[in-house]
Structures are given as C-alpha cells and as structure tokens.
C-alpha cells in the first residue's frame, strides 16, 4: 500500500466489533458504505475516504494513533 501508514483494521476486533456492525454504525451516521467495502479497506483493496476514517475513529472512540501502524520497508 502507498503512504506512510497502513490502516489497522484489527483494532475493531480488539473492541468487539465485526465488519457488519461497524459498517452498520457508519451507515446510521450517514456514511454510504457496505460491509464488503469496509472489508476491502481493511485489506488495502480500497482507499479510505477522510469522512469514513473520521467516523471509524468516532465509533471506536480511539485516538488517531490507534488507527494506524507504521509500515515496514
């Protein structure tokens, strides 16, 4: 993946969220995303939009640094 950081989708598992639950919470908050689209974000097959990233942060109630892990060279 391009960029300095890589989205850490495993964080939702640590907080007892599955893909369907997180996608549903995002939809309730006005984000047009499916579970499949969210799954593609986790594995790097789809870019994440700023509004989606902000919602994920808000739903999981985590710090920005918790959403990313440094990429290895």
């Amino acid at each position: 993946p391009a960029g300095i950081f890589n989205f850490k989708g495993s964080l939702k598992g640590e907080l007892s969220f599955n893909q369907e639950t997180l996608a549903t919470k995002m939809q309730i908050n006005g984000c047009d995303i499916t579970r499949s689209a969210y799954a593609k974000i986790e594995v790097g097959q789809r870019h994440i939009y700023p509004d989606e990233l902000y919602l994920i942060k808000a739903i999981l109630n985590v710090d920005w640094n918790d959403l990313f892990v440094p990429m290895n060279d």
Side-chain angles (χ1 to χ4, degrees):
I4 300 171
F5 294 100
N6 189 20
F7 179 68
K8 185 173 82 169
S10 63
L11 179 65
K12 69 172 178 42
E14 296 169 18
L15 299 171
S16 300
F17 280 89
N18 61 29
Q19 292 173 344
E20 188 67 38
T21 300
L22 191 53
T24 299
K25 287 181 178 287
M26 291 175 73
Q27 291 167 357
I28 289 169
N29 284 281
C31 185
D32 185 21
I33 191 167
T34 63
R35 187 218 48 85
S36 176
Y38 178 81
K40 288 179 181 179
I41 291 169
E42 282 190 1
V43 297
Q45 294 178 348
R46 178 186 177 282
H47 292 286
I48 188 166
Y49 295 104
D51 61 324
E52 295 168 340
L53 185 58
Y54 180 83
L55 261 179
I56 290 169
K57 178 195 176 296
I59 290 167
L60 296 178
N61 192 29
V62 294
D63 186 75
W64 284 111
N65 293 328
D66 295 330
L67 291 177
F68 299 93
V69 291
M71 294 177 61
N72 296 327
D73 291 311

